[in-house]
Structure formats: structure tokens, C-alpha cells
Amino acid sequence: MALLLRAQSAGLAAVALGISVFLSRILGLVRDKIISYYFGSGMESDVYFTAFVVPDFISYLLAGGYFSITLVPLLSRRFLEDEDDAWRFFSAAVCWATLAISLFCLLGWLFAPQLAKLVAPGFSGEKSLLLARYLRIILPAQIFFLPGACFTAVLYCRKQFTVPALTPLFYNGAIILGGLAGLALAPEQGMEGFCWGVLAGAFAGSFALPLWAVRAGGLRFTPRLAHPMMKTVLKLALPLMLGQSIVSLDEQFIRIFGSLAHEGSVSLLSYARRIMLVPVGVIAQAAGLASFPFLAGLVAKGDKRRFEASLNTTLQNALLVAFPVSLWMMVAAEPIMRLVFQQGSFTPKAAAQSGLLLAVMMASVVFWTIQQIMGRAYYACQDTLTPALLGTLATVFTLGAYYYGAISLGPLGIAFAGAFGVALYTGLLCFVWWRRHGAGALAGVATLAFIALCLCIPAKLAAGLTGRLLQSLFPEYSLAGAFVFICASGVVFCAVYLGLAQLLRPDLLAPLHALRNRLKK
């Protein structure tokens, strides 16, 4: 138990969260592998993925994904000033979060059939009815997510990252167990077991586990609704509630506009996006989450110099990993999709189609990385309005691309629209930060990104050539050939990239050496 409650430094927190996200993504892939094996890219899987549109939208409407981020800087400052009042403020936040999410979930549950037709206009009557049924099972999970985010915020303030790192593992594990149980006990119910697993995972992983960790470290909760700082919470959360960023809505647009394309488009896009989110989570999300409490603490202390230095270091270190990983995965996209999903109802044709989608999506990983970190920098400064406005602007500009992409190019057009939207949003975040705060935090980032890209290009060419040559020794569409391609291309890419870096710019490898030495201690 002491290990779960131990405070951690920024570097170790990033590693812990990175490992957690990686394992969570692996569990997510296992879950999607089971889905693709039994249901392929057809009606049932399309409906299941689309069933998350309404719950996720309610979460975004209440700033659910960012609620802990909103609370962290406020709680950090309040705990430093007056611990007793900090607990009163925390209690009010939990009560308001619980009441608000419960009300919205009740309305969503009552109007599920109407909402199903609204979010999936391309679905037939049968698919729409099934969507409403799945929606009513999944929707109540949100009641556990938002209050759980309040307890997670306390853990972040305490620099305790282990339990937040475990929550997605509990969540994905419950979905897998629920799905397998449903297939074994009631196969005629299709994917309903996965839906019940979502509900169980939300309770166990996102609510019960953080609650236990906060109580173990000391919790003082008294039910209350009134506290002066709730006005500040509303002020910070309101822009996030009204403004919707492309990174939040991309997955929902995949499902909504995917319903306008041919059957299976939603599933193919969802499978490819699941793979893309592995490096996004391990690199971008982990770096953003781990750096945020420390950036918020530096802002609370008024230490601008260390804030800019910490932000700059986080950006550069993350990009040094994001560039090679994303370019290698672009090369190995089709073999990855084939190895992970091609079995049962998931055909070689589906693997090839989803591989092309993944290659397009991987082009956006670098922008995801910068966005995750820069977004946290704004939030650490208690500026939620700017990211919300810029995100909404990028989303509005991208809506047309999603629609016409879906009509003209099908799922490929939707993938291109998503990559464009994230790149646009990231560019706006960096430009506005530079105009307001100067180039201190961004100094050298563009130059380092260009150098990393130049080092990756020959590594990408060598990896692709090696993978294709070795794969040709195996039967077409074979899993063994995909495995050899992935392994060989990965080894060659790393060897060429690291070799060129050591020869031309050895300073780029300094963060890797420092992290290795820190882990040895």
C-alpha cells in the first residue's frame, strides 16, 4: 500500500504514467481484438463504438475530462494557504459534480431513442434501436467518472501518480471481462456484455480506487454545496464546457460522420485510432499529465523562469520520442493492423484498409504531443478560456473537412480531416502562447523538431525497405510476415536513427541517458 501512495518526481511520474497508459492501451487492444474477432467491422461493432458518443459528449459538456485539471491548481494553492478550507472546497466540488452529472445522465437515459437517431443519422432503424439500448447501459458510467476525477485531483496535488496510473487498467480490464462473460453466457445478446463491463469498470477503476487512495492518505469530506471558490471553478470550467476542441471531439466525429460512409467505416476508423492512441497516450498524455502538477505548483509560487524551463524541457524530450515512433509506425501501419486484428471476422481486406487509415493518423501524433503539453501549460496558468476558444475555432474550421471527406473519400477522408484539425489546433495554441508569453518556453523546439525529422527520414526509408524484403519471404497476408516486418523494421529504424543521432547530434540523446541513470538509482 505504501508504494501506491508514494509521492513521485516529475520524471518518474512521466515514466509511471507512460507505462500505465501503454498497458492500458494494450488492454484496449486486447478488448478490440476480441471485438474484431467476433464481430469484425460490421453492424454490431459500429453500434457499440457509436454508443459512446452521447456519454462522451455529456462528459465534455461538464468538462469531465478536464475536471481534475481545473481543480489541481486551485486545490494546490488552497492546501498551501488553509488545509481545512481546502477540504471544504473539495467537498463542495464533489457534491456539485455528482448532482450535475446525475441530472444529465438521467435526461440522456430518458431520451436515448431520440439521441440515437441524432448522433448516427446514417444508421438504419434496427441499428438505431440497438444503439439506444447500448446507450442506456453505458450512460450511467459517467456518474462515476466525474466525482472520481475530483478524488484524482487530490492525488495529483499530493504528487501521487500510481493510483491514477492504475485506473485505466481497471477500467479496460472490466470491459474485457464483461465482454467475455457476455459471449459465454448470453451470445445472442451480442456486445451487450462489453457495455455492462464499461459500467463496472467506471465504478471500480475511476471512482472506487481513487476514493480508497485519498481516504488512505487522509480524507475530510463533509457534504456541502456552498463555497466561495466554486465561482472560480465555474469560471475556469465554463470555457471548457462551452468550447469543444478537435482533440476531444475527433473520436465522436469519427463515429458521427462514419455513419454516413459505408458500413464498417466506424469500426475501421475506431480500430486504427485505437492503435494511434498507444503512442499518443504513452508519450503525449503521460508527459502532459506528469508535468501539469509541477507546472501548476511553479505558477502558484510565481516562479516564471523555472516554469518556462520545465515546459521547454518537457516539450523537447517528448518530441525526441514522438518523431521516431510516429514515423516508424507509419511504415509499419498495415502489418501492425494485420498482426493485431486479422483473425476471425476481421479479413485481410479490412486490415489493409485500416492500415492505410492508421498511416494517415500517425502523421498527427507529433501535433497531439505538443497539444497535450501546451494545453496543460495554459491550464496551469488557470487559463481555460484560450484553449477552449482556439479549440472551438479549429473544430468549426474542420467540420466541413469531416463532412466532405466522409462523402467523397469515405473513412480515409475522415482520417485526413482529423489529422488536419489537430495540426491546426496545435499551431493556434503555440502561436497565441508565443504572442502572449514570448518565446522562452518554445525556444529551440522548432529547430529540434526539424533535426529529429531529418534524422527520421533515412531511418524510415531503411526500415521500410528491410521490412518489405523480409516480408516477401512469407505468404501474402500472413501473420508471420507481419510480425517479421514489424520487428525487422523497428530494429533497423532504431539503429539508423540512434546511429545518426550519435554521429551528428549526440546531445539529442542526453535525456535518454539521464533517464536511464535515474532509473538505475
Side-chain angles (χ1 to χ4, degrees):
M1 187 175 77
L3 178 63
L4 295 179
L5 303 178
R6 183 182 301 169
Q8 295 161 318
S9 65
L12 290 179
V15 173
L17 290 171
I19 293 173
S20 162
V21 173
F22 175 74
L23 293 176
S24 175
R25 297 292 188 247
I26 294 298
L27 282 177
L29 292 178
V30 171
R31 175 195 62 208
D32 287 355
K33 173 67 175 178
I34 296 170
I35 294 172
S36 67
Y37 183 87
Y38 286 100
F39 303 99
S41 54
M43 184 194 79
E44 193 88 23
S45 55
D46 275 1
V47 171
Y48 171 76
F49 290 124
T50 308
F52 289 88
V53 172
V54 173
D56 288 351
F57 181 76
I58 290 176
S59 176
Y60 301 147
L61 187 62
L62 295 177
Y66 295 95
F67 202 74
S68 63
I69 293 175
T70 304
L71 285 179
V72 166
L74 299 177
L75 282 174
S76 296
R77 187 182 68 192
R78 204 69 198 118
F79 273 117
L80 289 174
E81 297 169 348
D82 186 342
E83 184 175 350
D84 291 334
D85 190 61
W87 285 116
R88 289 192 290 271
F89 166 46
F90 168 79
S91 299
V94 172
C95 291
W96 274 112
T98 304
L99 287 174
I101 196 66
S102 298
L103 175 61
F104 274 91
C105 286
L106 176 61
L107 292 173
W109 197 91
L110 292 173
F111 295 99
Q114 292 81 3
L115 291 171
K117 295 178 181 178
L118 179 65
V119 301
F123 279 7
S124 64
E126 180 186 1
K127 292 176 74 172
S128 186
L129 289 174
L130 183 62
L131 177 57
R133 189 170 95 226
Y134 284 0
L135 172 59
R136 281 179 164 159
I137 300 172
I138 293 174
L139 191 57
Q142 297 299 323
I143 296 174
F144 302 115
F145 284 130
L146 197 58
C150 298
F151 295 106
T152 300
V154 175
L155 296 177
Y156 282 149
C157 290
R158 294 173 176 174
K159 308 297 189 295
Q160 296 172 347
F161 296 93
T162 304
V163 167
L166 290 175
T167 55
L169 303 182
F170 275 72
Y171 177 65
N172 280 318
I175 298 175
I176 293 171
L177 292 176
L180 291 175
L183 290 171
L185 300 175
E188 71 280 359
Q189 296 299 319
M191 297 191 64
E192 190 168 310
F194 291 92
C195 300
W196 288 110
V198 170
L199 185 59
F203 169 75
S206 299
F207 178 76
L209 186 61
L211 172 60
W212 167 83
V214 173
R215 289 187 62 186
L219 168 65
R220 281 183 270 167
F221 175 80
T222 53
R224 60 189 304 124
L225 292 176
H227 191 278
M229 289 193 69
M230 287 307 301
K231 295 180 181 178
T232 306
V233 173
L234 182 60
K235 179 182 177 181
L236 292 174
L238 190 60
L240 298 174
M241 296 162 69
L242 300 179
Q244 298 293 324
S245 85
I246 188 66
V247 296
S248 299
L249 295 177
D250 176 56
E251 188 170 11
Q252 314 315 318
F253 287 162
I254 280 176
R255 295 158 178 166
I256 294 171
F257 291 101
S259 73
L260 299 176
H262 60 77
E263 185 170 287
S265 295
V266 175
S267 300
L268 290 173
L269 285 162
S270 297
Y271 293 139
R273 192 176 189 275
R274 189 73 61 192
I275 297 290
M276 183 268 288
L277 287 179
V278 173
V280 167
V282 173
I283 302 167
Q285 243 182 323
L289 287 173
S291 63
F292 176 63
F294 298 92
L295 293 176
L298 293 172
V299 170
K301 296 176 182 177
D303 195 337
K304 181 181 178 182
R305 183 185 62 81
R306 287 182 60 197
F307 174 88
E308 290 185 343
S310 179
L311 178 57
N312 185 268
T313 300
T314 302
L315 283 168
Q316 296 203 28
N317 290 348
L319 287 178
L320 283 175
V321 181
F323 264 106
V325 170
S326 58
L327 266 73
W328 167 70
M329 288 187 68
M330 290 176 70
V331 172
E334 189 275 334
I336 290 173
M337 296 304 296
R338 192 186 340 149
L339 183 64
V340 174
F341 293 113
Q342 184 183 293
Q343 274 185 313
S345 300
F346 200 84
T347 64
K349 180 182 178 181
Q353 290 175 327
S354 58
L356 181 58
L357 299 177
L358 175 60
V360 173
M361 292 178 181
M362 288 308 303
S364 67
V365 167
V366 169
F367 298 107
W368 276 88
T369 301
I370 299 172
Q371 179 275 326
Q372 287 285 313
I373 297 170
M374 290 304 302
R376 264 61 177 197
Y378 280 98
Y379 300 145
C381 296
Q382 297 186 28
D383 179 5
T384 57
L385 179 60
T386 300
L389 290 176
L390 297 179
T392 301
L393 181 64
T395 301
V396 171
F397 269 93
T398 312
L399 279 175
Y402 274 105
Y403 178 77
Y404 288 107
I407 298 300
S408 58
L409 297 176
L412 185 62
I414 297 173
F416 274 116
F420 166 73
V422 173
L424 176 61
Y425 181 35
T426 302
L428 290 173
L429 283 175
C430 293
F431 176 75
V432 172
W433 184 276
W434 171 70
R435 293 282 295 181
R436 289 183 181 177
H437 304 282
L442 303 174
V445 173
T447 302
L448 178 127
F450 177 75
I451 294 171
L453 178 61
C454 291
L455 294 175
C456 284
I457 291 175
K460 178 183 177 182
L461 295 175
L465 178 61
T466 303
R468 282 188 290 272
L469 286 174
L470 293 177
Q471 183 180 237
S472 65
L473 302 176
F474 296 84
E476 191 176 16
Y477 305 126
S478 71
L479 298 184
F483 178 77
V484 169
F485 187 108
I486 293 168
C487 294
S489 64
V491 170
V492 170
F493 192 104
C494 288
V496 174
Y497 177 76
L498 294 176
L500 289 175
Q502 185 65 42
L503 179 65
L504 302 176
R505 288 293 303 268
D507 57 299
L508 295 182
L509 303 180
L512 297 179
H513 297 316
L515 179 60
R516 181 190 61 189
N517 295 333
R518 189 179 302 169
L519 292 174
K520 285 182 178 180
K521 294 180 180 180

